[in-house]
């Protein structure tokens, strides 16, 4: 944490008119072996993409990845954003659990005898994938889903990396699949069973005076599928004759669904599974014990009934179908995905377009996530977007754009603790199933606009995220790391090479951080700053430009319209 | 440490509304005593037990018959009667005890400085079981839902989402109280929240662990000059302005807070390491510099979350309640040390009470619950409200031991408002539904709970 202070001292010298010139920074400057830092072609060719091609690529990459890189810019500018999307949809998933097992085996853990790996490994796995995986759109979609179908690192999920990585892999697996399959897989995932307590949830016992746990029944409806009120396809609430919103379910429905989600227990790898056993096996779906499943007929929503005599899993299947086919799912989930991926205040028309795709992908299929994600990312309303960027994604994007990588010969060891501490946000660490923020949060002074991310933007975190960027840009050990692993480093060389060609340098900052939409206002201020730094070493110019760019309100908010 | 007057002045006019300042901060008053004498100081500390604390295992009947009913209804969730910490006195002829972890609360209760309001919860208007079943009474939005009931408690407007909270509106109603740094009226140790959102007053969030942060490199002239200019984009979109204003507010008020906190009383009261205790310590320190901040009426907000105990209620409460009790207790000792125990009232709120009946592992979402109140102004040593008989056929039981509240949240908040000094004619703006309850059973019984 101290190193960047030294480097920042350099700025003070410059500001006091103290020339600079020599080795102002004590931080070992320069690139260590950054991974995957493609360099831009240097000589123009007839087929070289135009400025407009780069801009279109920058917008798509900003929306659809964890961060724009030089390499991805070149690729997407060449083939165009829609072809790039197609490529992404066809890229096989990069799962997280194999990385957890890789670390486990490298450090001598043996999961077959029930050993629990250090919880840190799921963090290493996430950052390795976020920074380097080729299936960026899938990784990002899973991340967006992780803020709708929320589990968090409480209790056993915090200390055993298999639970959260396996859950994330489930989201990855279904990101471009069908929402119905996703909902079922999430329902049966032991991490969700643990988090919302429907694992080892037993049927009614009148002797003991106990009743089925209502937790999952409530949240699967309120948060994962239909929400509290009946919706029109454009996301607006339906109204009854008195003008009141219409509840989608009441507490009797909750108690009925609670019966559905009884009888599930952890599977086992080395012995017969047993209902009530608390040893969590997180990599396998929960299994049904019909003798603990509530018997009898059960009432679902919209008057649907599951008949007596079904198995527990048949009941669950019917209940998931019942929810999945509720007309609310398209607008309810679609609106939130738009908010995560594009804009905080989508118009009713935008929501309706996504609802329509959710209802039918054009081939009669409901819930096709690939079609939904494609429709969200190619909608005309992107031009009018406005979304405060999540602090966690600002960190990832800066890291990717600046070629974050391990020092040569070492492995990734990014834990994300520094982001969590300074911004309050980190993947799968929400304070509850209600995520980090409400999808309806309206900040003070926002003219009525919704901005979920402003709910976690306080005086404290506004400075926190600023300091995070200082730490990233000026630190020579920018990440909190696992002690025995190497620090990771940035490779600023491509930008250092550009800095004296101001137009090209700013164009590159624009594409990496401003989705190709940097305002003249910002460009003019950066230009003045560079003029003042004219006698400083190139690397210091780059660092100041980065620190200013990455902390400006223009960069912090995607889209300049709302 | 000088206040960054330049940037405050520069932005004062344009950002006054969005920062929640009723006018440009009068700088002459900063750093000196406020307009009011310090003995006029009053503050409330709202502790949000996020997740819905099972408060029917915090306050438990001890009388033989009532305990037997409790035990039968709670089955595997019942605490042992012998473990309960006895409270003096009785309510409706029943004696009570506290969860064994709540020794500070017990001590303060028996010393007359703490109480609990029993079976309290959000209501829109007086509500009977019959009206509930007939459907001819207005009800809080999203009953039994976390996200709704947590808002109902913070806003005291359970039938709508007006966007303001009880704490914020209370300070709105006392505009002359905080002539110094208006933003210091509402201070949160747990980020943005609805409780402190006012129409005119804003809130300030700082970190319990790290206090008030400073921007890295901001003391570098060259960085600061350009960084500041980015906050002044005349063509910035609304969201960019909102974001920029938050950064600006952080810079401006951070200096004031840091400067004020340099004069904070070094408390000799020991606080434990738990983050809830750390937050309560930070609040005590902030209260000690109230004159430097120029405030005489404050709300503080802190969240201690993780109470959604659908499973292992007994184990998880045994893990979590000690930190709650010691944080509350240590804070009260610190207030004694500051000589301010009469001036500060702490109360807990939570999403909801929980089902009396078990799901075999824990309890599920309910409605009415028990709120804790502590402070020198509390006429403690007795319970307030009406404790529901814990039997299956209690007409207040709307299912599995979910209780229709006997007392409306508004009744407790009305008493807090009155104590804070809200004028009777302002009560309607602070608690829009209070008029519905005045004179009703669900609005009665709390008058005089806070004195002085």
């Amino acid at each position: 944490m101290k190193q960047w202070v030294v480097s920042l001292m350099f700025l003070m010298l410059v500001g006091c008119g103290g020339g600079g010139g020599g080795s102002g920074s004590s931080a070992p400057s320069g690139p260590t072996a950054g991974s995957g830092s493609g360099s831009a072609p240097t000589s123009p060719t007839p087929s070289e993409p135009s400025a407009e091609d780069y801009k279109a690529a920058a917008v798509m990459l900003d929306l659809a990845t964890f961060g724009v890189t030089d390499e991805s810019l070149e690729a997407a500018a060449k083939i165009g954003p829609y072809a790039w999307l197609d490529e992404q949809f066809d890229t096989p998933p990069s799962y997280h659990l194999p990385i957890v097992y890789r670390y486990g085996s490298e450090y001598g853990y043996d999961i077959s005898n029930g050993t629990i790996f250090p919880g840190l490994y799921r963090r290493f796995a996430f950052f390795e994938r976020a920074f380097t995986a080729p299936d960026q759109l899938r990784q990002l979609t899973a991340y967006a889903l992780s803020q709708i179908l929320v589990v968090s690192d409480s209790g056993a999920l915090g200390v055993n990396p298999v639970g959260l990585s396996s859950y994330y892999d489930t989201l990855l697996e279904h990101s471009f699949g069908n929402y119905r399959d996703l909902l079922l897989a999430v329902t049966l995932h032991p991490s969700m069973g643990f988090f919302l307590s429907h694992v080892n949830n037993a049927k009614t016992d009148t002797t003991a005076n106990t009743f089925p746990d209502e937790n999952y029944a409530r949240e699967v409806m309120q948060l994962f599928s239909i929400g509290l009120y009946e919706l029109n396809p454009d996301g607006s609430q339906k109204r009854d004759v008195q003008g009141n919103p219409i509840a989608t379910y009441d507490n009797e429905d909750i108690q009925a669904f609670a019966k559905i989600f009884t009888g599930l227990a952890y599977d086992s790898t080395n012995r017969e599974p047993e209902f009530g056993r608390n040893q969590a096996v997180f990599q396998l779906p929960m299994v049904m014990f019909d003798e603990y499943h509530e018997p009898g007929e059960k009432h679902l929503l919209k008057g649907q009934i599951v008949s007596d005599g079904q198995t527990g899993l048949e009941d669950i299947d019917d209940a998931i179908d019942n929810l999945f086919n509720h007309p609310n799912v398209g607008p309810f989930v679609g609106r939130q995905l738009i908010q995560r991926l594009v804009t905080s205040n989508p118009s009713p028309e935008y929501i309706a377009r996504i609802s329509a795709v959710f209802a039918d992908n054009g081939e009669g299929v409901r819930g096709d996530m690939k079609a939904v994600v494609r429709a969200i990312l190619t909608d005309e309303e992107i031009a009018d977007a406005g979304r405060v960027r999540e602090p966690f994604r600002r960190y990832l994007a800066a890291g990717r754009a600046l070629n974050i990588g391990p020092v040569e010969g070492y492995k990734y060891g990014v834990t994300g603790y520094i982001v969590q501490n300074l911004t309050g946000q980190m993947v799968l660490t929400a304070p509850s199933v209600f995520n980090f923020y409400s999808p309806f949060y309206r900040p003070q002074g926002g003219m009525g606009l919704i901005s979920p991310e402003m709910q976690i933007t306080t005086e404290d975190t506004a400075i926190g995220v600023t300091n995070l960027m200082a730490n990233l840009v000026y630190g020579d050990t920018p990440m909190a790391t696992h002690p025995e692993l190497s620090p990771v480093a940035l490779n600023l060389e491509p930008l250092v090479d550009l800095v004296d060609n101001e137009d090209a340098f700013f164009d590159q900052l624009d594409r990496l951080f401003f989705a190709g939409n940097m305002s003249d206002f910002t460009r003019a201020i950066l230009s003045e700053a560079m003029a003042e730094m004219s006698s400083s070493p190139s690397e210091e110019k780059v660092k100041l430009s980065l620190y200013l760019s990455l902390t400006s309100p223009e960069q912090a908010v995607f889209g300049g319209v709302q | 440490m000088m206040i960054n007057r330049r940037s405050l002045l520069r932005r004062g006019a344009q950002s006054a509304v969005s920062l929640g300042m009723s006018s440009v901060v009068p700088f002459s008053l900063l750093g000196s005593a406020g307009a009011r004498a310090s003995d006029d100081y009053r503050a409330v500390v709202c502790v949000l037990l996020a997740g819905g604390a099972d408060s029917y295992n915090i306050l438990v009947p001890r009388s033989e018959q009532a305990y037997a009913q409790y035990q039968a209804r709670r089955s595997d969730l019942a605490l042992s009667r012998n473990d309960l910490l006895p409270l003096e006195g009785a309510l409706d002829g029943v004696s009570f005890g506290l969860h064994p972890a709540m020794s500070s609360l017990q001590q303060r209760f028996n010393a007359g400085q703490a109480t609990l309001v029993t079976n309290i919860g959000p209501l829109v208007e007086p509500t009977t079981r019959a009206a509930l079943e007939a459907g001819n009474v207005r009800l809080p939005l999203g009953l039994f839902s976390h996200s709704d009931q947590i808002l109902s408690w913070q806003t005291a407007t359970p039938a709508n989402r007006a966007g303001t909270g009880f704490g914020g509106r209370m300070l709105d109603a006392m505009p002359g109280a905080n002539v110094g740094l208006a933003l210091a009226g509402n201070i949160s140790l747990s980020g943005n929240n609805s409780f402190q959102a006012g129409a005119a007053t804003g809130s300030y969030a700082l970190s319990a662990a790290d206090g008030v942060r400073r921007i890295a490199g901001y003391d570098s002239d060259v960085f600061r000059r350009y960084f500041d200019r980015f906050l002044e984009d005349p063509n910035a979109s609304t969201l960019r302005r909102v974001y920029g204003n938050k950064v600006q507010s952080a810079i401006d008020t951070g200096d004031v807070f840091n400067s004020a906190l340099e004069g904070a009383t070094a408390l000799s009261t020991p606080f434990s390491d738990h983050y809830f205790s750390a937050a309560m310590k930070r609040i005590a320190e902030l209260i000690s510099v109230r004159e430097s901040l120029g405030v005489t009426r404050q709300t503080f907000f802190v969240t201690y979350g993780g109470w959604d105990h659908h499973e292992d209620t007994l184990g998880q409460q045994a893990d979590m309640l000690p930190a709650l009790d010691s944080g509350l207790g240590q804070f009260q000792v610190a207030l004694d040390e500051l000589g301010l125990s009469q001036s500060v009232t702490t109360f807990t709120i939570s999403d909801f009470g929980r089902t009396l009946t078990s799901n075999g592992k824990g309890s599920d979402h309910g409605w009415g619950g028990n709120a804790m109140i502590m402070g020198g102004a509390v006429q403690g040593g007795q319970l307030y409200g009406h404790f529901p008989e814990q039997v299956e056929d209690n007409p207040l039981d709307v299912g599995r031991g979910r209780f229709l509240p006997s007392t409306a949240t508004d009744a407790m908040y009305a008493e807090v408002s009155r104590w804070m000094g809200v004028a009777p004619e302002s009560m309607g703006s602070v608690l829009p539904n209070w008029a519905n309850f005045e004179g009703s059973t669900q609005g009665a019984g709390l008058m005089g709970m806070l004195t002085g």
Side-chain angles (χ1 to χ4, degrees):
Chain A
M1 286 289 290
K2 291 292 176 207
Q3 283 79 358
W4 49 261
V5 177
V6 178
S7 193
L8 280 169
M9 289 290 292
F10 178 81
L11 288 175
M12 300 179 68
L13 292 174
V14 174
C16 297
S23 63
S25 166
S26 71
S29 61
T32 43
S35 71
S37 58
S39 53
T42 47
S43 60
T45 66
S47 65
E48 182 165 328
S50 68
E52 283 308 303
D53 292 334
Y54 278 110
K55 181 170 172 171
V59 175
M60 180 57 81
L61 293 169
D62 192 307
L63 293 173
T65 73
F66 277 128
V68 185
T69 62
D70 198 28
E71 200 175 14
S72 61
L73 261 178
E74 291 302 328
K78 274 200 187 75
I79 62 173
Y82 291 8
W84 179 88
L85 264 186
D86 288 336
E87 276 190 10
Q88 284 290 301
F89 284 125
D90 291 338
T91 307
S94 302
Y95 290 118
H96 293 200
L97 205 47
I99 300 181
V100 170
Y101 287 138
R102 192 188 76 208
Y103 274 99
S105 102
E106 282 173 10
Y107 285 93
Y109 292 95
D110 179 8
I111 197 172
S112 66
N113 65 12
T115 306
I116 291 175
F117 301 168
L120 274 178
Y121 294 178
R122 78 102 177 164
R123 292 166 176 260
F124 296 163
F126 177 84
F127 286 104
E128 183 171 329
R129 291 309 196 206
F131 286 138
T132 67
D135 61 331
Q136 281 289 304
L137 177 57
R138 185 188 289 267
Q139 298 287 330
L140 178 65
T141 304
Y143 175 76
L145 290 168
S146 81
Q147 294 194 42
I148 298 171
L149 304 151
V150 175
V151 301
S152 185
D153 66 348
S154 59
L157 291 174
V159 296
N160 181 349
V162 173
L164 292 183
S165 289
S166 158
Y167 185 76
Y168 208 88
D169 284 353
T170 299
L171 300 181
L172 285 167
E173 182 185 349
H174 296 284
S175 281
F176 300 153
N178 193 289
Y179 197 76
R180 192 230 175 257
D181 300 334
L182 174 62
L183 202 52
L184 180 63
V186 159
T187 300
L188 296 180
H189 199 284
S191 295
M192 187 58 83
F194 173 84
F195 189 62
L196 291 183
S197 63
H198 61 294
V199 68
N200 297 322
N201 179 22
K203 64 185 175 185
T204 305
D205 181 340
T206 47
T207 316
N209 195 26
T210 63
F211 302 86
D213 185 325
E214 298 169 8
N215 200 13
Y216 190 70
R218 182 180 302 279
E219 310 309 1
V220 72
M221 287 198 260
Q222 182 173 344
L223 298 173
F224 301 168
S225 58
I226 63 174
L228 287 171
Y229 301 107
E230 299 277 348
L231 300 177
N232 296 306
D234 68 1
S236 60
Q237 288 179 356
K238 291 182 181 171
R239 301 279 165 171
D240 64 15
V241 285
Q242 283 103 38
N244 297 315
I246 304 161
T248 42
Y249 54 85
D250 63 17
N251 219 56
E252 281 182 31
D253 296 317
I254 296 286
Q255 289 183 265
F257 271 78
K259 295 174 184 170
I260 299 274
F261 299 114
T262 50
L264 292 170
Y266 294 119
D267 202 350
S268 179
T269 50
N270 52 7
R271 52 184 167 157
E272 277 300 297
E274 195 180 301
F275 189 86
R277 189 191 285 152
N278 276 322
Q279 194 188 354
V281 172
F282 280 126
Q283 67 272 32
L284 300 172
M286 293 186 288
V287 288
M288 176 60 71
F289 287 80
D290 281 309
E291 62 271 35
Y292 290 93
H293 181 75
E294 186 89 11
E297 185 178 276
K298 299 171 192 80
H299 293 252
L300 302 176
L301 301 181
K302 305 261 180 207
Q304 204 181 322
I305 289 172
V306 300
S307 51
D308 189 11
Q310 293 206 126
T311 66
L313 287 176
E314 285 168 344
D315 275 6
I316 289 177
D317 225 38
D318 286 351
I320 295 299
D321 271 337
N322 182 248
L323 294 177
F324 170 70
N325 287 308
H326 193 291
N328 268 32
V329 183
F332 182 77
V333 174
R335 175 177 172 274
Q336 292 185 73
L337 281 173
I338 295 170
Q339 285 186 315
R340 289 299 101 236
L341 297 175
V342 179
T343 188
S344 301
N345 295 270
S347 70
E349 294 76 19
Y350 191 178
I351 296 171
R353 287 191 289 274
I354 302 311
S355 294
V357 173
F358 187 93
D360 183 346
N361 67 352
E363 294 166 14
V365 177
R366 178 180 174 78
D368 176 0
M369 293 297 289
K370 191 188 286 189
V372 167
V373 170
R374 185 194 301 273
I376 289 172
L377 291 174
T378 55
D379 195 272
E380 61 195 46
E381 205 167 308
I382 288 169
D384 303 324
R387 167 175 49 87
V388 175
R389 295 177 193 271
E390 297 175 30
F392 184 64
R393 282 186 63 189
R394 287 171 70 183
Y395 170 80
L396 295 175
R400 277 177 59 81
L402 303 175
N403 313 301
I404 198 168
V407 170
E408 190 167 12
Y410 288 86
K411 298 181 282 273
Y412 267 89
V414 184
T415 63
Y417 285 123
I418 187 169
V419 200
Q420 205 171 345
N421 176 36
L422 288 172
T423 74
Q425 206 192 16
M426 157 72 199
V427 60
L428 299 183
T429 64
S432 80
V433 71
F434 288 86
N435 197 26
F436 299 97
Y437 26 64
S438 157
F440 297 97
Y441 181 78
R442 292 176 205 274
Q444 270 199 321
M447 318 280 282
L449 286 179
I450 285 171
S451 180
E453 297 82 359
M454 281 308 294
Q455 194 172 353
I456 56 167
T457 307
T458 64
E459 287 82 0
D460 182 51
T461 62
I463 293 184
V465 74
T466 302
N467 291 355
L468 182 68
M469 295 305 165
N471 191 297
L472 192 67
V473 172
Y474 285 96
D476 66 336
T477 54
M479 310 300 145
T481 59
H482 203 236
E484 66 269 22
L485 297 169
S486 160
V488 285
L490 304 180
N491 179 359
L492 300 181
E493 199 167 90
L495 289 173
V496 170
D497 290 345
L498 276 181
V499 73
D500 289 327
N501 178 352
E502 191 171 286
D503 283 343
F505 177 58
F506 290 162
D507 282 349
Q508 185 67 357
L509 292 184
D510 187 7
R511 291 163 188 161
L512 291 174
F513 302 119
F514 296 86
N517 257 320
M518 186 196 279
S519 67
D520 293 343
F521 172 84
T522 290
R523 201 175 271 250
I525 296 174
L526 287 177
S527 182
E528 276 185 56
M530 289 303 92
E532 187 167 340
M533 297 279 284
S534 61
S535 59
S536 303
S538 296
E539 187 171 340
E540 292 304 327
K541 291 194 228 171
V542 168
K543 285 181 173 178
L544 181 68
S545 305
L546 287 172
Y547 188 23
L548 288 171
S549 297
L550 290 168
T551 56
S552 68
E554 184 169 323
Q555 205 282 324
V557 180
F558 175 86
V561 177
Q562 293 186 330
Chain B
M1 186 96 211
M2 292 304 295
I3 299 149
N4 188 348
R5 295 180 184 207
R6 184 179 49 83
S7 60
L8 269 176
L9 285 168
R10 197 180 56 227
R11 299 185 62 83
Q14 76 183 75
S15 62
V17 173
S18 57
L19 285 177
M21 299 173 180
S22 52
S23 66
V24 175
V25 177
F27 304 100
S28 57
L29 292 167
L30 291 170
S32 63
R36 296 181 179 216
S38 63
D39 59 5
D40 185 41
Y41 178 78
R42 299 237 164 135
V44 292
V45 180
C46 175
V47 178
L48 170 61
L49 304 177
D54 193 337
S55 51
Y56 284 110
N57 259 17
I58 295 175
L59 180 69
V60 179
R62 283 182 70 246
S63 298
E64 200 166 325
Q65 188 194 354
Y67 177 81
Q69 290 167 346
Y70 158 86
Q71 190 179 32
R73 206 79 182 106
R74 300 231 72 176
S75 59
D76 62 320
L77 306 182
L79 294 165
S80 158
R81 187 176 172 213
N82 291 333
D83 291 342
L84 299 173
L85 306 178
L87 296 180
E88 290 172 5
L91 180 70
D92 300 333
V94 176
S95 64
F96 286 85
L98 294 175
H99 187 283
M102 303 304 289
S103 56
S104 300
L105 183 62
Q106 178 204 27
Q107 183 202 336
R108 293 286 178 173
F109 181 97
N110 289 339
Q113 296 172 332
T115 186
L116 295 95
V117 182
T118 61
N119 196 33
I120 184 170
L123 294 168
V124 182
E125 56 191 358
T127 303
T128 62
R129 173 66 180 271
L132 188 75
E133 284 174 356
N136 55 14
V137 62
R138 285 179 296 161
L139 290 173
L141 294 171
L143 276 179
F144 317 120
S145 134
H146 282 294
S147 53
D148 287 276
Q149 293 211 221
I150 208 168
L151 281 180
S152 293
W153 265 100
Q154 291 180 74
T155 61
T157 57
N160 60 63
R161 297 282 177 252
T164 60
F166 167 57
R169 290 194 305 269
M170 197 158 54
L171 289 201
D172 283 348
M174 299 183 286
N178 298 329
V179 294
L181 185 64
L183 217 51
N186 294 309
I187 298 181
S188 171
L189 280 294
S190 301
N192 289 328
N193 62 85
S194 297
F195 178 79
Q196 294 177 312
T201 49
S203 64
Y204 181 81
L206 56 82
S207 154
D210 301 316
V212 181
R213 297 184 206 276
R214 296 168 200 267
I215 290 181
Y218 201 66
D219 44 3
S220 144
D221 177 62
V222 61
F223 171 70
R224 183 175 62 242
R225 271 189 286 113
Y226 292 109
F227 181 88
D228 282 353
R229 280 180 56 192
F230 281 112
L231 303 176
E232 296 171 345
D233 183 355
N235 299 316
S237 67
T238 304
L239 291 177
R240 285 175 179 165
R241 255 188 305 108
V242 167
Y243 182 87
N245 284 348
K246 191 58 89 173
V247 175
Q248 190 69 55
S249 161
I251 294 167
D252 297 340
T253 51
D255 283 351
V256 182
F257 273 106
N258 274 319
S259 166
L261 280 169
E262 282 167 21
T265 303
L267 296 163
S268 60
T269 303
F271 280 84
S272 43
D273 291 338
H274 190 277
Y275 86 85
F276 177 64
S277 276
M280 296 305 276
K281 181 181 186 186
R282 194 70 76 175
I283 292 172
E285 289 169 353
L286 285 160
I287 288 174
S288 80
V289 299
R290 64 200 175 280
E291 292 183 19
S292 302
L293 295 171
V295 290
T296 67
R297 290 292 182 277
Q298 282 185 292
T299 77
F300 293 91
F301 181 87
V302 54
T303 299
Y304 177 13
W307 300 92
D308 192 19
H309 297 156
H310 289 275
E311 59 173 2
D312 193 20
T313 302
L314 292 177
Q316 296 202 66
Q317 284 204 330
D319 282 348
M320 292 176 62
L321 283 172
L324 174 66
D325 186 72
S326 29
L328 292 173
Q330 290 155 358
F331 181 64
Q332 207 56 43
V333 174
L335 291 175
D336 291 340
E337 182 187 341
L338 292 169
L340 285 171
S341 56
Q342 296 291 325
S343 305
V344 181
T345 298
T346 304
F347 59 85
T348 63
I349 66 174
S350 193
D351 316 19
F352 34 65
R354 304 184 74 89
T355 57
L356 277 187
T357 59
S358 168
N359 62 34
K361 306 168 296 173
S363 55
D364 296 325
H365 302 183
W367 191 353
N370 305 309
M372 296 164 246
I373 307 182
M374 191 183 271
V378 178
Q379 294 304 292
Q382 56 182 320
L383 296 168
Y384 290 84
H386 298 283
F387 194 87
E389 204 182 358
Q390 297 182 327
V391 293
E392 201 165 350
D393 55 0
N394 186 327
L396 292 178
D397 184 343
V398 298
R400 288 196 49 202
R402 280 178 259 265
F403 286 111
L404 174 64
S406 316
T407 299
T409 305
D410 289 67
M412 180 171 117
Y413 285 169
E415 180 64 3
V416 169
S417 303
R418 192 190 56 71
W419 176 75
M420 279 287 273
V422 172
E425 62 272 20
S426 298
M427 207 57 109
S429 69
V430 176
L431 293 168
N433 293 334
W434 171 235
N436 301 343
F437 293 102
E438 274 183 298
S440 79
T441 319
Q442 282 159 317
L446 304 191
M447 190 79 89
M449 183 175 70
L450 301 173
T451 59

